[in-house]
Amino acid sequence: MSEHVRKILGDRTVHTYGQYVVASRYTMRDCGPGKISFRGRTHTFLRCVVVHSVEIDVITVHFLSPREGLNATRYEGAAGLDDWQQNFEDRMTQARALADVVVASRRPVIVAGDLNAPEGSPVVGALPDAGLRDAFSSAGNGYGYTRGDSLRPGISFLQIDHILVSSALGVLDCFVGSKDGSEHRPVIADLLLERE
């Protein structure tokens, strides 16, 4: 982690693994990777238990990009459809594996990350089936677009980054942050640790 990021995070408890960072002002324990591998290719997420008035599983994840499948059909036409189908199946395998982790948890769960798919897609749809709901859909306003500023036409037009929470957690507010600092706008949510 860069010195700049460490400075921004201040005195928070921080755990990193590969591309993933979980930072909390509360105590964390049992941090470590989990697997959402497909076809023998290792792919991981990071999970930590955040301890406050309740214990919460916080998971950060980055699903496989659909870019390869999209490019195959874009440049190869019908000949690229098999690549697109395989890419879709790989991402569904990841989503189902993560859904199994969520279902097995005995604590409230927060899943945050780049799911590389909109909320209505089958890939993200596997997670509401596991008892999660999208924080932006619950309490956000507008479209919630997080990706597109670095692409043509230079504006955000995709909602592929999400915060999903289990029913035990409340969502007070959710919004998308500035395009500064990343190709993806951050999703920011104010959550109630214990719903009333």
Side-chain angles (χ1 to χ4, degrees):
M1 178 182 337
S2 73
E3 188 59 36
H4 179 70
V5 172
R6 212 166 260 298
K7 192 176 201 178
I8 291 169
L9 295 176
D11 62 355
R12 289 174 176 82
T13 304
V14 177
H15 189 85
T16 62
Y17 178 80
Q19 65 178 310
Y20 302 116
V21 177
V22 176
S24 175
R25 60 185 169 150
Y26 304 118
T27 302
M28 291 192 299
R29 65 174 176 80
D30 301 333
C31 293
K35 290 191 177 181
I36 50 171
S37 301
F38 54 91
R39 290 186 297 125
R41 290 175 57 186
T42 301
H43 205 95
T44 60
F45 61 88
L46 175 61
R47 174 171 53 183
C48 291
V49 177
V50 175
V51 181
H52 185 50
S53 57
V54 295
E55 293 185 343
I56 300 170
D57 279 338
V58 175
I59 297 170
T60 182
V61 65
H62 185 184
F63 285 168
L64 181 67
S65 172
R67 187 176 300 116
E68 288 178 24
L70 291 169
N71 283 337
T73 55
R74 179 180 177 192
Y75 296 112
E76 300 170 31
L81 289 176
D82 287 343
D83 289 343
W84 169 247
Q85 182 64 36
Q86 185 62 64
N87 177 276
F88 174 73
E89 290 172 12
D90 291 344
R91 293 184 303 123
M92 286 301 298
T93 298
Q94 290 184 303
R96 288 185 194 113
L98 186 61
D100 289 345
V101 170
V102 170
V103 168
S105 177
R106 297 181 313 269
R107 295 177 281 271
V109 178
I110 300 169
V111 172
D114 181 357
L115 303 184
N116 268 313
E119 182 183 2
S121 74
V123 173
V124 178
L127 298 169
D129 289 347
L132 298 177
R133 71 188 187 289
D134 189 275
F136 190 86
S137 291
S138 296
N141 289 309
Y143 295 108
Y145 294 149
T146 60
R147 179 80 166 100
D149 288 291
S150 62
L151 307 170
R152 278 184 261 165
I155 58 170
S156 288
F157 61 95
L158 298 167
Q159 183 190 27
I160 61 173
D161 303 277
H162 303 272
I163 296 175
L164 305 170
V165 298
S166 58
S167 61
L169 301 172
V171 183
L172 292 175
D173 191 17
C174 190
F175 58 95
V176 174
S178 167
K179 66 181 180 178
D180 298 333
S182 173
E183 291 183 352
H184 294 246
R185 292 173 182 259
V187 181
I188 303 160
D190 291 324
L191 304 177
L192 286 171
L193 300 183
E194 296 180 80
R195 256 180 121 170
E196 296 181 21

